[in-house]
Amino acid sequence: MGQIAVKKIAFIGGGAMAKAIIKGIIGGGLIAPEMITVGEPTEAHARSLHEAFGVNVTTDNKEAVKDADLVIFAVKPQVAPVALVPELMAAMKKDAWVLSIMGSVTLEQLHAYAPGFPVIRTMPNTPLAAGAGMTAICCDEAVKQTAAAIFSSCGEIEFVDEKALQAITAISGCGPGYCFVIIDALADAGVRAGLPRALAIKLAAQTMAGSGKLCVESGLHPAQ
């Protein structure tokens, strides 16, 4: 696993993807929980993050970012114009880095939101929550090692040209949704054949997971 070249990390947004990344960072020993601060507007949600991971939480985004070396934008793209305001950028350290998991927000847009800051654009997917994510990354060479370390802690990574991200979003970003449909359909078939639903779901899910693992590790074409 790579090394992380930052001492303090801030998250803007504490949703499912942020939780998955936090879990990976802490579980991989990249940084201590007390070195992570999450800006989360819902107090109950903020408390649950602190209880689950031991990270610092605040409902004030400007407070969250003030000492951070790396700021991770983990809000939905449609929320970006409201959350990523000039006042937030003014509160950030001048030498901070910015990392985005907002799928449809381009590097050009990120530079517009955070002028003067090095930016990292990523397309992760929901299996990060189980340490089995697939993340595509495009960024400047200077921040490549840290981006690799963070997302390697919760799955596989690939560095790509930004022009590939739209297609990648369709495959690995949206792909888990299709996998869940297949698992559900296989499980339904198992139930119709007389199996208990819990067993049918486990059989279908592990079959899907194992097949993907075999495909990756064998290097064989799926048709083989």
Side-chain angles (χ1 to χ4, degrees), residues 25 77 134 168 181:
I25 290 172
M134 182 68 242
I168 288 169
V181 170

Side-chain angles (χ1 to χ4, degrees), residues 168-191:
I168 288 169
T169 300
I171 297 173
S172 60
C174 301
Y178 297 103
C179 293
F180 295 137
V181 170
I182 294 171
I183 291 168
D184 191 31
L186 286 171
D188 280 348
V191 170

Side-chain angles (χ1 to χ4, degrees), residues 94-108:
K94 299 307 179 187
D95 59 350
W97 301 344
V98 168
L99 189 154
S100 166
I101 65 171
M102 303 180 295
S104 62
V105 179
T106 66
L107 286 174
E108 182 179 4

